[in-house]
Amino acid sequence: MKTNFVDIAISGFGIIYIIGFIMFIPLLYATENGKFLIWYLAIAAWGTDTCAYSVGTRLGKHKLTTISPKKSIEGSIGGIIGAVIISLIYTYIINRTGRIEIQYLAISGISILLSILSQIGDLAASSIKRYNKIKDFGELIPGHGGMLDRIDSILFIAPFAYFLLTLL
């Protein structure tokens, strides 16, 4: 079997992507209010995925990209709006309990940015899978793929979330 530059580049990216990006999750958690801020990472990634899927399956008419043909522009926008709404609800809860004080406008902007980056991360992972002619990165969760398929968006936005949320 012959190894070419593209194979080496993809392997290198995989190592940096997984190991390099995952280290920002404990770094965020270790910040002063990390146990509250870490949830914005999950909300941005999973809130975007869930809301994009829900809106896209119901209202999606315009294809977003050929990388992932089932994704729509409507779903993408729905994912962003959904992530912002969920983030604002979470912010309201933690602000009301007095645990931490976060500005709604700031978290809205950060949520929009993290949601967009989450979708870019998902498309990057889809692009790698398409290049390698695979549907999923594993078979751990039937119908959902492997563990990397579940956390690819979180991994991609972890460094951005760390830097943006520590600025709060």
Side-chain angles (χ1 to χ4, degrees), residues 12 18 24 26 42 51 71 74 77 93 101 117 131 159 165:
I18 294 169
F24 286 95
C51 294
K71 291 188 178 5
E74 294 84 359
I77 293 167
I93 292 167
E101 185 65 35
L117 290 168
Y131 177 80
L165 292 169

Side-chain angles (χ1 to χ4, degrees), residues 36-44 87 90-91 94 102 107 165:
F36 301 107
L37 297 178
I38 198 78
W39 285 102
Y40 286 111
L41 181 63
I43 289 168
S87 292
Y90 177 65
T91 301
I94 61 174
I102 294 185
I107 205 61
L165 292 169

Side-chain angles (χ1 to χ4, degrees), residues 35-65:
K35 64 183 178 182
F36 301 107
L37 297 178
I38 198 78
W39 285 102
Y40 286 111
L41 181 63
I43 289 168
W46 293 333
T48 298
D49 287 349
T50 302
C51 294
Y53 176 78
S54 297
V55 172
T57 55
R58 288 173 181 78
L59 305 175
K61 301 271 188 264
H62 303 91
K63 299 298 176 203
L64 182 65
T65 178

Side-chain angles (χ1 to χ4, degrees), residues 104-122:
Y104 294 103
L105 186 59
I107 205 61
S108 295
I110 290 171
S111 296
I112 290 168
L113 187 56
L114 291 178
S115 180
I116 291 168
L117 290 168
S118 174
Q119 292 181 55
I120 291 170
D122 188 52

